[in-house]
Amino acid sequence: MTVTETETTTGTGADTCAGPPQGDRRPDGADKYTISEVVALTGLTAHTLRWYERIGLMPHIDRSHTGQRRYSNRDLDWLALVGKLRLTGMPVADMVRYAELVREGDHTYTERFELLMQTREDVLSRIAELQGTLAVLDRKIGFYADAGRALASERAR
């Protein structure tokens, strides 16, 4: 893991692992988004955002004086990373554990590294499985393309 990951949880930087910023983001310092704005920026539902917070997948979300959630660019970066972890097929429990480790600090780098390496191995395994599946599809497509050409040739006679 890089220092930027810790910076994300402390608010001193952006998590470069999360990918490019999404949508129209405000400059840091003016980045107080309502839950409906985060829904529009991320495509997640308000229910999902609240659930992420409830299960510990999201760091503490600031609140306005009236108690409304106020998300920051850092929170959007974290949500982008969580989205990538979801795409890997990482179980929610592992994502929550990862979030806990990030919040615990730098001394958890080894455990985070191991968790991400295991996820990487799982992804590589799935990719290999999908490549095998793609090869079967390509053979079938080739068969039907050849059969279609043969039928068209026969009809043309």
Side-chain angles (χ1 to χ4, degrees), residues 64-79:
S64 71
H65 69 283
T66 60
Q68 291 180 316
R69 289 171 176 83
R70 293 291 184 233
Y71 294 84
S72 67
N73 287 332
R74 182 188 73 201
D75 299 323
L76 295 178
D77 290 340
W78 180 257
L79 287 168

Side-chain angles (χ1 to χ4, degrees), residues 53-140:
E53 190 177 354
R54 190 170 50 252
I55 65 172
L57 190 52
M58 285 294 298
H60 170 76
I61 303 299
D62 287 335
R63 301 281 180 140
S64 71
H65 69 283
T66 60
Q68 291 180 316
R69 289 171 176 83
R70 293 291 184 233
Y71 294 84
S72 67
N73 287 332
R74 182 188 73 201
D75 299 323
L76 295 178
D77 290 340
W78 180 257
L79 287 168
L81 176 62
V82 167
K84 296 297 183 195
L85 294 177
R86 286 182 58 221
L87 288 174
T88 70
M90 180 186 272
V92 172
D94 287 350
M95 287 190 282
V96 170
R97 179 66 185 140
Y98 181 79
E100 290 168 350
L101 292 169
V102 169
R103 285 191 292 271
E104 287 176 26
D106 294 352
H107 69 280
T108 65
Y109 275 12
T110 301
E111 196 172 344
R112 285 186 255 172
F113 173 83
E114 290 169 358
L115 183 60
L116 292 176
M117 284 301 293
Q118 180 57 56
T119 301
R120 184 178 191 280
E121 291 301 315
D122 294 345
V123 169
L124 288 172
S125 176
R126 284 185 29 231
I127 289 171
E129 184 179 18
L130 286 171
Q131 287 174 331
T133 301
L134 183 59
V136 169
L137 286 172
D138 287 344
R139 282 194 302 273
K140 288 303 229 179

Side-chain angles (χ1 to χ4, degrees), residues 3-19:
V3 174
T4 57
E5 183 173 71
T6 300
E7 292 169 348
T8 297
T9 62
T10 62
T12 60
D15 183 349
T16 58
C17 298

